[in-house]
Amino acid sequence: MNRGLFSSCDDRPVTSPHIDTEPQGHQHGHSHSHGPAAPVSRHLRKVIAAVLIPFATAVVVGLVVLWPGGAPQHERTGVGFDRQTQQGRVVNIDKVDCKDVNAAQTPISGETTPPSGSGPGLCAKADIEVTTGHDKGRTFVEIVQPDAPRQLRKGQGVVVAYAPEAPRDLQYSVTDVNRKFPMTLLAGIFALAVIAVGRMRGVMALVALAVSFAVLTLFILPAILQGANPLLVAVVGASAIMLIALYMCHGPTARTSVAVIGTLISLLLIGLLGSLFIGWANLTGNTDDSTGLIHGLYPHIDMSGLLLAGVIIGSLGVLDDVTVTQTSAVWELHQANPTMGARGLYRAGIRIGRDHIASVVNTLVLAYAGAALPLLLLFSIAQSSVGTVANSELVAEEIVRTLVGSIGLVASVPVTTVLAALVVSADRTGVGAEAGASAPVRTGKGRRRRTRP
């Protein structure tokens, strides 16, 4: 069992394997520890540093040059998410006859007005108190239709939209319910589960997750809104996330560095393929209400570039998993059999990688299909053919996103495996060197002779 995947991120040396020197020929390599990999030679560290230091320097320079300093200000349109909102609370609910209130004109924001001719019933007349903002303590009335999918209850927290230009009686309306407590509770359960299983590695993974979210919200999103090239911003931001997350979770070791290089090569491939096929398929990136609103507020943003940036960032998380797993597998194979050469390590590692490829590609496809399930249902209702569905821009975007990301994931397995096999087999200062010094060799007469340590 690879205990290094669950232990802390320190770089403790691995105990040298014991080589049986009995003359019977039953030689077994026993590794007394399966923690972090043994340090590689100084020469290999220099080679790895020669690749990664310029790359890391370029990422830092990119962060400094493209740093946005905050999102640009704009006048709110009052449409969709671009609304002023406050928190509220349902203080009372009364049942009233729908014929006595104008329920059809005052639904909860986001609900559809029922078709004409619907039968009478009891509507909910909710008294809502604003609990934040300059109108804190103010109350207003919200009418909820009996067939509305979202019903309110007394004491429930809600999100209210504020329209300052509207008449006073219509300035506030309920736009959503407050889900902060269940979401916070779920996040706490997730953090406890990660720490309980991963221990110190779990703690570092949560810290890396927080840093990744900070890079996304403080750099990537504001820089794109400021007008920077979305592809360039995504490459710099994703590279920064990759370096911080991998080294923070797995330590500054050669094994981690190989995973970083494998991830970088795969990201470059994804970027090239994404750019080619997004342009070739004439995908604009402006396909729904959200992207339409963004384009309306910030017409200078390249929406197709934004689509490509999303492909790169979306692929990064799964790429990290694949490259780290493949690198760790090769390192563990080397520790289990230090005499195995680069070719043998690659063959054994790629067999592990094939299983990983099958599961990861299936995961990606199902994840995108699950996210687009309502859209796919609409196409099914319309009885559209598969070709018609695939040709629509909404679905074509998801197909390109899935296939480009999957190609990058598939390529990352052999690329990372061959890099790890070459690095670990070229090392002659750690486990492999000691095993090679004690292994039996053949003389010219075909008789075995044991070298002395």
Side-chain angles (χ1 to χ4, degrees), residues 230-406:
L231 177 58
L232 182 60
V233 171
V235 169
V236 173
S239 299
I241 291 173
M242 174 184 64
L243 290 172
I244 295 171
L246 287 180
Y247 282 115
M248 185 175 292
C249 290
H250 305 286
T253 64
R255 180 163 63 182
T256 307
S257 299
V258 171
V260 168
I261 296 174
T263 304
L264 174 62
I265 295 174
S266 302
L267 279 178
L268 291 176
L269 177 61
I270 290 174
L272 290 175
L273 288 176
S275 179
L276 172 63
F277 283 95
I278 287 175
W280 197 357
N282 292 318
L283 299 178
T284 63
N286 188 2
T287 55
D288 55 24
D289 293 340
S290 298
T291 53
L293 180 59
I294 293 172
H295 184 65
L297 294 175
Y298 301 95
H300 58 273
I301 293 180
D302 180 10
M303 299 305 295
S304 60
L306 186 63
L307 173 61
L308 179 57
V311 173
I312 293 175
I313 296 174
S315 302
L316 178 61
V318 187
L319 269 179
D320 288 350
D321 173 53
V322 173
T323 55
V324 169
T325 300
Q326 285 304 114
T327 307
S328 298
V330 172
W331 243 264
E332 292 298 326
L333 288 168
H334 179 65
Q335 291 188 32
N337 186 2
T339 61
M340 188 181 295
R343 181 174 296 180
L345 287 171
Y346 174 78
R347 288 176 176 174
I350 202 67
R351 285 195 293 269
I352 299 172
R354 291 190 185 106
D355 291 335
H356 206 179
I357 287 174
S359 61
V360 167
V361 170
N362 194 46
T363 300
L364 272 181
V365 172
L366 291 179
Y368 286 128
L373 195 58
L375 176 63
L376 297 178
L377 285 175
L378 288 177
F379 281 111
S380 298
I381 294 172
Q383 297 182 352
S384 301
S385 65
V386 175
T388 302
V389 172
N391 189 67
S392 65
E393 186 169 0
L394 271 173
V395 178
E397 279 189 4
E398 299 302 327
I399 293 176
V400 171
R401 192 195 313 268
T402 303
L403 295 183
V404 168
S406 298

Side-chain angles (χ1 to χ4, degrees), residues 418-440:
V418 73
L419 286 174
L422 291 174
V423 169
V424 77
S425 62
D427 179 45
R428 288 296 178 267
T429 63
V431 174
E434 297 173 6
S438 302

Side-chain angles (χ1 to χ4, degrees), residues 172-189:
Y172 284 96
S173 61
V174 175
T175 184
D176 209 341
V177 298
N178 192 328
R179 304 180 180 90
K180 289 184 178 179
F181 178 74
M183 300 291 284
T184 303
L185 179 61
L186 181 59
I189 295 173

